[in-house]
Amino acid sequence: MEDKRRCFSLSQNKFLQHWCVLFLSSLAILPLTQSFNYGKALSKSLLYFESQRSGRLPYNQRVTWRHHSGLTDGLEQGVDLVGGYYDAGDNVKFGLPMAFTITMLSWGVIEYGDEISSAGEYTHALEAIKWGTDYFIKAHTHPNVLWVEVGDGDTDHYCWQRPEDMTTSRQAYKVDEKNPGSEVAGETAAAMAAASIVFRKTNPHYSHLLLQHAEQLFEFGDKFRGKYDESVRVVKGYYPSVSGFKDELLWAALWLYKATDKEDYLRYALEKANEFGGITWAITEFSWDVKFPALQIIASMLLTEENHREMGFKLVFEQYRSKAEYYLCACLNKNNGSNVNRTPAGLLYIRQWNNMQYVTNAAFLLTVYSDYLRASNQRLRCDRGKVGPEEVLLFARSQADYILGANPMGMSYLVGYGSRYPQRMHHRGASIESYKENKGFIGCTQGYDYWYPRNDPNPNVVFGALVGGPDQMDRFSDDRKNFMQTEACTYNTASLVGVLAKLHGVEEEDGYLNTPLLASS
C-alpha cells in the first residue's frame, strides 16, 4: 500500500504518476487485475435503497436501523405524499433526481433482469423500483399537476437529524399549467414508462397504470413547457436545471416509444431532434440533469431495426449515432478532440463534487452499448480507430473495479463492500444512533453539536451506498464534513446496479472478462 501511495506523493505531474503506476505494476506491486464478487456487490447495491426510504416502512424491511418517517408529508397541502426516497444524506425528497434514479434502475432491470435473477436479487430490484413509482402515482394528482419536492433544502441543511425525528419544513411544491416543469414531468414520465416495461409480465395491471401516468405526464410537460426550477425556486441551490427541459422531453418520448411501440413517440424524437438538440449537442457527461448522451444512444440503437429504416429518418438516426459515438469514444479516450479526463489510476473524472455519479452513468452506457455492438456484430467508430464490444466492456469493468477497490487508496467506495470502505459517510441517519437503539428525540442542534463532529465511525452502515469518491489525483478523505467526497446519492448506485448485474452474469457464463486489464491505458 505504501508503494502505491508513493507514486502519488512523488510528483504532482500526472504523466510521471502514470508511469510510476505502470512501473510498480510491472514489479507486481500494484496488480492490474483484481477479483471481485460482483453478485455480492449487486446485493449490497440494492439493499441501499431501503436505507433511503421515506414513509411507513414495510414488514420485510431489511435495513432495521431505519424506522417510519415523513408520515405527514403533503398533509398541509391536502395531498398524500408519504413515501418515496431521500436523495442523499439529507431528508428532502427531490422529484427530479428521484425520477432519474427509478429510470436507471428500471433500465438496468430491462437489460439485465436475467442476471439480476441469477444473483437472487430480482424481487429486491422490483421492490426498489416500485417504492419510487408508488410515490410518483401519489404525486401525480391531476393530469397537469405533479408534486416535485417535499421539504426545503435550506432549512434541512441547518439541521442534523435522523429522518425519524424531523422538525424541519415539510412543505410540498408542485408544477402545474401556470407553473410548468417540463424537466421533472419528462423525467417522471420516462421513469414510469421504463418501469411499466419492468412490470409488464409480473404485474400487468400496475404496468398499465404506470403507462397511463407516463403518457399524461409527457403530454403535460410538452404542452406546458417551462423550466421547473423557475416554478419551484427553492430547488435552485440543489438540483437546478442547467441543460433545460428539451433533453428530458426527447428522453421521455423515446422511453414511451419503447414502452408502447407507438410510432408517434418515436416520430416526436426524430422530428424534434434538431430543434431540441438531440443531434446537435455533443456532450461528455450523462447525469440526472443532462440526458443527451443516453437518449442519443437509445436512438442510435434503433437504427438497425428494419421498421425504423422505412420511416424516412435514416439521416437523423445516423446523426443520433454520431453524437452517441462521440460520448462513448470520449469516455474511452478515443476522440481526437474532447475526451473525458481521468485520474492517474484511470477513473473517469468530470468534476469535484460527487464525481462517482458520472462514472457509474458512463459505465452503464458503455455496458449497454457493448451488448448492442456484440448483438449487431458492429464496432464502435472513434477518431482513433474502431473499438470492439469486448474492449468497451473491459473499460466499463475497469470503472466498476476501481469503485470496488482496485485503486491507489485500496478503498471500496461502495459502503459495506470489501474490508475497507468509508466509515464516516455524510449521512444524517447513518451518523446518529439508530431509532431502533434510541427512540428518544434527537433535536436539530443536538445532532450538529454531538453527532456530526464526532471522529468515530458512523454507528449505522449504509450498505450499498456509493459515495462521491476520490479527487482528480485519486485521493480520498474519509471525513463526515467532506460532503463532496463522502456523501452518497441514490442515482450513484442506480446506474451501478445494471453494470454489476452484467459483470456478474458474464463471469458466471464464460469469464471472458478475465482478459488482463490496464485501467490507466
Side-chain angles (χ1 to χ4, degrees):
M1 179 60 68
E2 288 307 312
D3 288 311
K4 297 179 195 179
R5 290 174 180 167
R6 199 171 296 128
C7 273
F8 299 89
S9 62
L10 286 173
S11 172
Q12 294 300 308
N13 184 294
K14 280 192 174 185
F15 179 80
L16 292 178
Q17 289 180 339
H18 173 81
W19 284 105
C20 180
V21 171
L22 289 183
F23 175 69
L24 290 177
S25 300
S26 70
L27 298 178
I29 294 171
L30 179 59
L32 296 183
T33 58
Q34 283 183 241
S35 177
F36 295 103
N37 187 329
Y38 299 117
K40 188 175 182 180
L42 171 64
S43 298
K44 292 184 184 297
S45 296
L46 287 167
L47 185 60
Y48 166 58
F49 295 96
E50 296 191 21
S51 297
Q52 297 303 112
R53 284 173 170 170
S54 181
R56 183 168 295 279
L57 303 185
Y59 72 94
N60 60 348
Q61 169 83 7
R62 295 177 293 164
V63 179
T64 56
W65 56 266
R66 283 294 325 282
H67 198 64
H68 310 316
S69 63
L71 298 182
T72 60
D73 284 357
L75 184 63
E76 289 181 36
Q77 289 74 31
V79 59
D80 177 7
L81 296 177
V82 176
Y85 288 110
Y86 303 117
D87 71 304
D90 53 23
N91 299 327
V92 183
K93 296 191 297 201
F94 292 102
L96 182 58
M98 193 193 306
F100 178 70
T101 295
I102 300 305
T103 306
M104 296 309 295
L105 274 175
S106 299
W107 194 359
V109 173
I110 292 165
E111 298 288 343
Y112 304 114
D114 290 343
E115 291 85 348
I116 293 171
S117 292
S118 75
E121 293 295 329
Y122 194 74
T123 298
H124 293 140
L126 265 57
E127 287 173 348
I129 293 167
K130 193 170 185 291
W131 195 266
T133 51
D134 283 351
Y135 176 75
F136 298 146
I137 290 170
K138 289 182 174 184
H140 186 212
T141 53
H142 180 274
N144 295 340
V145 175
L146 178 65
W147 295 86
V148 299
E149 183 174 335
V150 180
D152 171 16
D154 290 342
T155 58
D156 178 87
H157 281 64
Y158 286 126
C159 277
W160 194 261
Q161 270 182 303
R162 304 178 298 193
E164 293 84 359
D165 292 329
M166 282 186 293
T167 55
T168 50
S169 168
R170 300 306 289 171
Q171 182 173 344
Y173 303 85
K174 66 180 178 178
V175 293
D176 55 27
E177 296 173 13
K178 294 181 179 178
N179 304 283
S182 298
E183 299 94 338
V184 68
E187 185 60 64
T188 310
M192 296 177 103
S196 77
I197 300 173
V198 171
F199 289 104
R200 189 175 288 159
K201 290 183 179 179
T202 60
N203 194 341
H205 174 76
Y206 189 67
S207 172
H208 181 68
L209 177 63
L210 292 175
L211 208 48
Q212 283 184 312
H213 281 280
E215 293 193 281
Q216 287 182 354
L217 282 165
F218 175 74
E219 184 177 350
F220 163 51
D222 186 43
K223 185 176 180 181
F224 301 96
R225 294 180 188 171
K227 288 186 66 182
Y228 96 115
D229 59 4
E230 293 295 330
S231 297
V232 183
R233 291 183 173 270
V234 293
V235 82
K236 273 186 176 290
Y238 303 93
Y239 289 100
S241 175
V242 177
S243 70
F245 57 77
K246 293 177 180 177
D247 51 336
E248 274 85 9
L249 291 178
L250 292 172
W251 173 243
L254 286 168
W255 274 112
L256 278 162
Y257 172 69
K258 288 169 71 70
T260 65
D261 276 332
K262 292 180 181 178
E263 195 174 284
D264 285 350
Y265 290 120
L266 179 58
R267 193 171 292 277
Y268 180 100
L270 296 171
E271 290 179 345
K272 297 190 180 301
N274 186 67
E275 177 190 353
F276 281 11
I279 58 175
T280 58
W281 279 106
I283 303 288
T284 57
E285 75 171 67
F286 168 44
S287 69
W288 57 265
D289 180 34
V290 184
K291 313 294 160 51
F292 285 111
L295 70 90
Q296 289 159 352
I297 283 171
I298 290 176
S300 67
M301 291 192 298
L302 296 174
L303 182 60
T304 54
E305 298 183 19
E306 187 66 36
N307 57 322
H308 301 142
R309 285 183 286 205
E310 297 172 359
M311 291 181 66
F313 286 96
K314 184 179 179 183
L315 178 60
V316 178
F317 277 121
E318 289 281 5
Q319 290 171 314
Y320 265 124
R321 183 165 75 172
S322 174
K323 295 301 185 289
E325 288 175 338
Y326 178 90
Y327 171 82
L328 296 163
C329 295
C331 292
L332 295 166
N333 202 33
K334 299 286 187 181
N335 279 340
N336 285 335
S338 176
N339 289 302
V340 179
N341 291 329
R342 299 186 191 182
T343 68
L347 183 73
L348 293 172
Y349 193 84
I350 299 289
R351 58 178 55 89
Q352 186 179 16
W353 196 311
N354 189 23
N355 182 62
M356 280 302 187
Q357 64 176 305
Y358 310 107
V359 176
T360 57
N361 288 339
F364 181 82
L365 294 185
L366 287 160
T367 300
V368 168
Y369 208 76
S370 73
D371 284 344
Y372 166 72
L373 293 173
R374 179 181 286 265
S376 58
N377 196 28
Q378 295 184 72
R379 291 166 68 83
L380 176 62
R381 304 174 303 181
C382 297
D383 294 337
R384 298 181 186 176
K386 293 184 178 180
V387 184
E390 291 83 2
E391 185 178 347
V392 175
L393 184 57
L394 280 170
F395 181 71
R397 190 197 82 165
S398 76
Q399 302 302 291
D401 286 356
Y402 187 109
I403 288 168
L404 297 180
N407 57 68
M409 298 290 292
M411 170 81 74
S412 166
Y413 293 107
L414 191 71
V415 175
Y417 178 88
S419 59
R420 187 167 186 256
Y421 52 83
Q423 301 289 318
R424 299 165 188 83
M425 66 177 285
H426 183 93
H427 189 284
R428 286 160 174 75
S431 66
I432 302 174
E433 190 175 16
S434 77
Y435 188 81
K436 181 181 180 182
E437 300 296 327
N438 178 5
K439 291 182 173 58
F441 176 75
I442 297 175
C444 172
T445 55
Q446 183 183 354
Y448 260 129
D449 290 344
Y450 181 72
W451 294 99
Y452 181 68
R454 283 161 44 108
N455 289 324
D456 294 343
N458 288 343
N460 309 304
V461 179
V462 188
F463 288 99
L466 178 58
V467 298
D471 66 14
Q472 70 271 26
M473 302 307 293
D474 297 292
R475 297 169 302 207
F476 177 79
S477 174
D478 186 10
D479 185 337
R480 200 171 293 113
K481 296 183 285 294
N482 180 20
F483 47 83
M484 281 194 259
Q485 291 190 326
T486 62
E487 189 166 19
C489 298
T490 56
Y491 43 88
N492 296 15
T493 297
S495 297
L496 184 61
V497 166
V499 178
L500 294 173
K502 171 66 178 180
L503 296 176
H504 167 71
V506 167
E507 285 210 328
E508 277 201 329
E509 286 178 19
D510 56 23
Y512 74 80
L513 280 175
N514 289 328
T515 308
L517 175 68
L518 179 59
S520 297
S521 61

